[in-house]
Amino acid sequence: MNTNTSRQNPAEWDEDAQLLSHTARDLPMGRHQFHKERLMDRIQQEQRTRTAAVPEKTGRFRLPRPAIVLPAVAAALTGAVIAVVAMPAGNGAGSGGVATGPALTTTIGAATTKGVPQLLDRISLAAAETSHPAVKPGQYIYIESRTADTFTKSVGDKTTLASHELHRREIWNSPDGTKGWLIDPAVNDSPEGETLSLPDEQGNPRKAGLNGPSYDYLAKLTTDPDALLAKIYKEEKGHGNSPDQQAFTTIGDLLGESYPPAELYSALFKAAAKIPGVVVVQDAVDAVGRHGVAVARLDETSGEREEWIFDRKSHVFLGERSVQVKETRGEDSVIKPGTVTYTSAIMNRAIVDGIKQTPSQAG
């Protein structure tokens, strides 16, 4: 996934803030919110721990982003240069109280181009048959997931890897995308979460787009795979490490914290089958340990492989992960092949009648 950031120290934040509005298009809308959440969280931690005895250098987070939501105030942030400070774990708590631990690792599964079209065709058929009730005005799309990630942490001249351990994430979004709520202990200071019902930087309601889609926006997209893929390539031009990788990432974003209508959901997989470099990984594991088959693609620049994981029999989407599969150089050389930089598992996706309401509460 496209998660490149640069190392900085807190003294550089003010200077970089002046540049963000000019470089916001370096990272699509769907990624801005994720990095905004991490950045704000790290700045708050830095402010709370300025008297720490051991100063730390900036760490680089190699994290994919949640795909949707997303107060457009995040558009003021760029993904090309994000100031992120990795602070000491202290009593074992990470950001927002999430425990930290060692780097997440896995055995790198073998990848093959054999059977890619057939697998994506089966996934597309399963998606078309999935019940996708329409979302009505006043209702909310509720998505519950489990997520974890690995990040770099520098103390003095020593850089090591650490992880935010597996934790629960819940998000609510209105069909027009203007109202929402997020509960994620790795992001929120309060266990109650925080509102996502924020205007854009001009004070206007957020305008949905391909990388910050609402349900209403997705319902209007073409379901012709060729036209859909052409739109993605056109709108994503200049983003990511390559056009093909960015197209794959954009489609992958819509599988997580999004709710595409059934016809579009099916068309996304047919479009993915047309992207060069897509492979199959016969055994991949989501964040909660469920084994499945993955549709994947290697980002040749970062050396990370993005994997969409599906149940082997039902072909239901289980989750995703990013795995480092190539050696890196320089500051990122500490991230060895087999490192899981991000992992998630979708636990529940439903339509509810109120913000912060869960399916169980709805009866």
Side-chain angles (χ1 to χ4, degrees):
M1 294 189 178
N2 183 21
T3 55
N4 295 332
T5 58
S6 300
R7 292 179 179 267
Q8 294 179 294
N9 58 60
E12 297 175 296
W13 290 342
D14 292 338
E15 179 182 350
D16 286 331
Q18 300 173 15
L19 301 176
L20 294 180
S21 61
H22 300 291
T23 56
R25 285 192 60 81
D26 287 352
L27 199 67
M29 189 66 180
R31 292 146 186 69
H32 290 158
Q33 175 64 17
F34 180 82
H35 289 297
K36 178 230 178 196
E37 292 169 351
R38 295 298 186 190
L39 172 58
M40 293 300 102
D41 188 56
R42 290 291 178 251
I43 290 174
Q44 291 168 1
Q45 286 192 43
E46 163 66 11
Q47 291 172 340
R48 291 193 294 264
T49 56
R50 285 185 183 278
T51 58
V54 182
E56 293 195 4
K57 292 183 179 180
T58 301
R60 191 189 89 159
F61 280 81
R62 300 171 60 84
L63 303 175
R65 57 289 124 218
I68 153 180
V69 187
L70 315 166
V73 71
L77 297 174
T78 174
V81 182
I82 296 290
V84 178
V85 177
M87 300 308 298
N91 61 4
S95 56
V98 176
T100 57
L104 307 173
T105 60
T106 188
T107 300
I108 300 175
T112 177
T113 57
K114 184 178 180 180
V116 171
Q118 293 84 354
L119 175 60
L120 280 166
D121 186 58
R122 290 193 295 270
I123 292 171
S124 178
L125 289 173
E129 295 172 356
T130 301
S131 175
H132 266 228
V135 187
K136 300 176 183 178
Q139 293 185 314
Y140 290 84
I141 298 161
Y142 169 78
I143 299 173
E144 177 192 0
S145 61
R146 300 291 187 275
T147 67
D149 60 79
T150 296
F151 58 91
T152 60
K153 176 179 175 182
S154 296
V155 179
D157 294 329
K158 185 177 181 180
T159 299
T160 58
L161 292 182
S163 68
H164 289 123
E165 294 185 347
L166 191 68
H167 59 278
R168 184 186 192 191
R169 177 181 171 95
E170 295 177 283
I171 196 164
W172 291 259
N173 277 285
S174 61
D176 65 3
T178 61
K179 298 178 181 178
W181 194 267
L182 172 69
I183 299 178
D184 185 338
V187 175
N188 310 135
D189 284 332
S190 167
E192 297 298 318
E194 64 186 68
T195 182
L196 298 173
S197 307
L198 299 175
D200 65 17
E201 62 273 20
Q202 280 82 42
N204 301 314
R206 184 178 71 86
K207 185 177 179 180
L210 190 59
N211 283 282
S214 65
Y215 173 81
D216 291 346
Y217 172 85
L218 293 175
K220 296 176 182 178
L221 285 180
T222 177
T223 56
D224 177 84
D226 291 308
L228 180 60
L229 190 59
K231 177 181 178 65
I232 291 172
Y233 273 101
K234 181 179 179 180
E235 295 197 11
E236 294 298 281
K237 185 177 181 179
H239 297 154
N241 289 329
S242 73
D244 293 333
Q245 184 63 34
Q246 187 59 31
F248 186 82
T249 295
T250 299
I251 292 175
D253 285 347
L254 298 178
L255 304 182
E257 289 185 345
S258 181
Y259 186 74
E263 288 188 11
L264 177 63
Y265 197 47
S266 178
L268 287 169
F269 297 116
K270 294 178 180 178
K274 300 175 183 292
I275 300 174
V278 175
V279 298
V280 173
V281 179
Q282 291 297 338
D283 186 31
V285 186
D286 73 3
V288 296
R290 297 177 298 193
H291 286 256
V293 59
V295 175
R297 194 179 192 282
L298 174 65
D299 186 329
E300 295 287 352
T301 301
S302 69
E304 283 184 334
R305 187 170 71 196
E306 180 179 345
E307 301 177 351
W308 311 338
I309 306 170
F310 299 86
D311 183 270
R312 194 177 301 279
K313 294 182 179 179
S314 69
H315 298 108
V316 169
F317 177 71
L318 299 178
E320 63 180 312
R321 68 178 181 178
S322 288
V323 179
Q324 191 72 28
V325 300
K326 283 189 171 184
E327 291 281 355
T328 57
R329 297 181 180 180
E331 295 175 334
D332 294 327
S333 61
V334 66
I335 305 173
K336 301 299 183 182
T339 301
V340 178
T341 56
Y342 176 81
T343 182
S344 72
I346 299 297
M347 308 306 295
N348 202 341
R349 194 190 309 257
I351 299 171
V352 295
D353 292 327
I355 214 164
K356 293 195 282 185
Q357 183 184 80
T358 64
S360 61
Q361 293 170 333

